[in-house]
Amino acid sequence: MATAAKSFARVAARSTPLASSIKNTTTHNARYIIPRQPFRSSRRGYASESNVKTSSMGLYWGIGAAALAGAGGYFFYNNGGVTNLREGSAGETRGIFTPTKEDYQKVYNEIARRLDERDDYDDGSFGPVLVRLAWHCSGTYDKETNTGGSNGATMRFAPEKDHGANAGLHAAQDFMEPVHVKFPWITYSDLWTLGGVCAIQEMQGPTIPWRPGRMDRDISMCTPDGRLPDGAKEQKHLRAIFGRMGFDDREIVALSGAHALGRCHTDRSGFEGPWTFSPTVMSNDYYRLLLGEKWNVRKWNGPKQFQDVTSKSLMMLPTDMALVQDKEFKKHVERYAKDDQVFFAEFRDVMVKLLELGVPFQSKEEDRLLLQPLE
């Protein structure tokens, strides 16, 4: 029943005045998407409007374990029948565990299961905030210094976790913690990026190739504040922030399509509202709305943001509007608005690039995994 209700909601949204005024191009490219059933919760479908002591020998073992972890192998010990990451003397070591694709699929499935069960967040899904966690832990990369990026999961520590751009991401970290408890062999760095991949796929987005190999780091590797985009700024800022990571104009616009998901909160960014009517379904609606709707500056006691004229329930940030005000950006907005298959293909590629920035993988690109969505 929930599946049927969700499907009905998605169709109904397409019949609203705003949605129907823009050409519907939401057929997904089967080459990039593994077929699956839609969410089982009707709250996650399309909506017509928004709702609101170690010994010296142990030290050597530890060094060896770290090296093996980078190559995909993990040291374990057994304590009363509970397998966990090795912490202590060499006598506790029982061997090396090398995760397989099946092991990562189990982690994926656990994340997806929790997404399906936990519908008590925002618009009925933790999916968007998991995407944001993966994005923000990766988007700190600096190609000039080769610092930052997803290799480290340094957002576990202050000051990075307290950076303004990361406000509210404790919700995503807390959501993922039981998964890490169940699968303690996976690094937080791998887990958080896998969580983003899982969320995108479970929200009907493209299949994102992913590979493990990230290592967690300590507080000394935290990145400085200011490396993530500021929604209050415009195209010059976007090119500076994304250019530092190594992205061009096309990739900037493609990554911005993640704004089809989620919403802004006044107690986090200061902004308020969703970008689309279906904030828990991945689509090209973000681009279609940017072009097909009229946007005015919202009159309110908050930072500058734009509001749609038709429903007055959607919002766009200055950085969003910059994509249609800049002719080089706009041509890509037009391409993605016209064809969601093109958007999904290019979003897939740029998301893979983002999640791998600065990671010293021991594996090859062809070793990336295609993990199956939860049926």
Side-chain angles (χ1 to χ4, degrees), residues 125-138:
S125 176
F126 274 85
V129 77
L130 294 192
V131 176
R132 183 169 167 243
L133 176 63
W135 207 114
H136 283 218
C137 75
S138 304

Side-chain angles (χ1 to χ4, degrees), residues 197-241:
V197 168
C198 177
I200 290 169
Q201 295 186 178
E202 296 300 316
M203 292 189 289
Q204 304 181 28
T207 298
I208 310 293
W210 175 89
R211 55 176 164 162
R214 298 163 187 81
M215 296 177 64
D216 292 336
R217 299 181 181 278
D218 61 27
I219 192 172
S220 68
M221 300 303 292
C222 283
T223 56
D225 200 0
R227 288 194 177 184
L228 293 167
D230 181 345
K233 298 186 178 180
E234 298 177 346
Q235 50 263 50
K236 183 178 180 180
H237 170 75
L238 285 175
R239 289 192 171 99
I241 292 292

Side-chain angles (χ1 to χ4, degrees), residues 20 23 34 49 54 65 70 78 82-83 95 158 167 184 208 265 273 275 280 283-284 299 310 316 333 343 357 364 371:
S20 62
K23 184 178 180 182
I34 299 174
E49 59 185 20
T54 64
N78 191 283
V82 179
T83 302
I208 310 293
H265 304 75
W275 289 267
T280 61
S283 72
N284 66 341
K299 296 179 181 179
T310 305
M316 291 287 171
V333 174
F343 165 53
L357 291 174
K364 300 177 181 179
L371 299 172

